[in-house]
Amino acid sequence: MRFDKLEFPDEKSKPLVPGQPAQADKDEQYWLSQADEHRRTGNYENALRFYSRALELEKTLIIAWVGQVQMLVQLGEYRQAELWGRKALEFFPNQPDLLSGRAQAMCRLGDMKQAHALNDGAMQQRGESAYCWLVRGELMVAGKQEMDRHCFDRAQLASRDWIVPLESALIYLHYRSPSKALPRAQLAVQSESNAYYAWLVLGRCQVGLGFTDSARQSFERCLELCPRHESAGTRLANLGQGSWTATIRRWLGRG
């Protein structure tokens, strides 16, 4: 069970990469930076592990608790995300990002009533969080309500970090809305042109809209920045196959 592994990891003394110092030699800030780096490249499984490593060393790191919930959502493990969020709220009652994390998990599980109640509770807390607005935006999208654009814009005002429009795009893609995801992904690559994961997400948006040539360029850019990116390579190959299929269909008079 992932929850148990997160709470009681058993390999903390082993180095992740041969030749590197053992994990026990790293402090919590190191693991947080590793988690953030992997999150920005779409390596959510690794990011989840590194947030957990940070928490092993410092239990009061709310950012790590929230990060674990967010990564579980990205990995599609919604029940674990809800469980982990609930566990964290026992230590940090009414913490707005943890409330929003549970709200996002409940939303993905289909319990919209509970999701709205949790997010409302988050929005009533002091301070303004980009993540609270992201989750509010997701609730609008999931409920087919207007105001989603406003919520995602508020998230971007709360934080100028390019990860905010990127994760907004991912939410739209989850609900099969590539046309709304596209401008958010474009903003992410404009803000951080060397972020290869942002190019991958942009390409996914373009594929969803049938913009094959643009998608090919985006996947190629991703591969320029990260030559062995498996997902970009696969998606680029699939575009090629699609092109050949379309050509063959035209030859056969079926296109």
Side-chain angles (χ1 to χ4, degrees), residues 25-63:
D25 296 335
K26 310 294 187 181
D27 64 15
E28 64 275 15
Q29 293 304 318
Y30 172 81
W31 293 117
L32 276 182
S33 69
Q34 288 293 298
D36 184 66
E37 179 180 328
H38 282 260
R39 175 182 181 179
R40 290 168 188 275
T41 58
N43 292 313
Y44 299 125
E45 190 75 43
N46 282 348
L48 177 64
R49 291 173 54 214
F50 295 143
Y51 281 126
S52 180
R53 295 296 187 208
L55 277 180
E56 286 177 39
L57 300 173
E58 180 51 66
K59 299 291 186 189
T60 64
L61 289 174
I62 293 176
I63 188 174

Side-chain angles (χ1 to χ4, degrees), residues 59-252:
K59 299 291 186 189
T60 64
L61 289 174
I62 293 176
I63 188 174
W65 290 86
V66 175
Q68 286 190 154
V69 175
Q70 291 173 313
M71 296 306 96
L72 287 166
V73 170
Q74 294 289 1
L75 290 165
E77 300 191 27
Y78 308 131
R79 293 198 181 282
Q80 290 294 314
E82 192 280 325
L83 180 63
W84 196 244
R86 182 153 35 93
K87 177 80 172 176
L89 282 164
E90 293 176 4
F91 299 105
F92 307 99
N94 298 319
Q95 204 286 328
D97 282 344
L98 287 172
L99 288 169
S100 292
R102 275 198 73 205
Q104 188 173 25
M106 296 303 289
C107 177
R108 300 272 176 122
L109 289 168
D111 189 340
M112 297 303 295
K113 182 178 180 180
Q114 182 74 347
H116 276 284
L118 287 162
N119 188 245
D120 287 346
M123 303 297 284
Q124 291 169 4
Q125 306 304 312
R126 287 186 176 181
E128 190 165 70
S129 159
Y131 184 47
C132 290
W133 281 109
L134 276 180
V135 174
R136 176 73 94 187
E138 173 160 351
L139 298 186
M140 297 296 106
V141 177
K144 301 187 184 305
Q145 298 174 283
E146 296 183 358
M147 300 297 289
D148 51 297
R149 179 178 175 179
H150 168 76
C151 294
F152 291 131
D153 287 346
R154 289 294 299 266
Q156 289 173 202
L157 286 174
S159 172
R160 297 292 184 181
D161 193 329
W162 63 270
I163 199 75
V164 174
L166 182 77
E167 293 186 346
S168 301
L170 288 172
I171 289 171
Y172 277 130
L173 285 176
H174 178 79
Y175 293 95
R176 303 180 188 278
S177 299
S179 61
K180 289 186 174 182
L182 182 66
R184 305 289 169 176
Q186 288 173 326
L187 178 59
V189 298
Q190 289 167 7
S191 302
E192 184 51 67
S193 60
N194 289 326
Y196 60 81
Y197 184 51
W199 286 101
L200 179 78
V201 173
L202 177 60
R204 288 176 56 194
C205 299
Q206 292 160 334
V207 167
L209 293 168
F211 301 157
T212 305
D213 290 342
S214 297
R216 181 176 291 107
Q217 292 174 11
S218 295
F219 294 144
E220 288 175 348
R221 178 62 178 152
C222 178
L223 286 167
E224 286 177 15
L225 295 166
C226 184
R228 295 185 178 181
H229 199 285
E230 184 175 349
S231 181
T234 300
R235 291 173 189 276
L236 189 59
N238 289 340
L239 283 180
Q241 290 175 1
S243 176
W244 275 107
T245 301
T247 300
I248 292 170
R249 288 178 65 85
R250 283 198 296 274
W251 285 347
L252 296 174

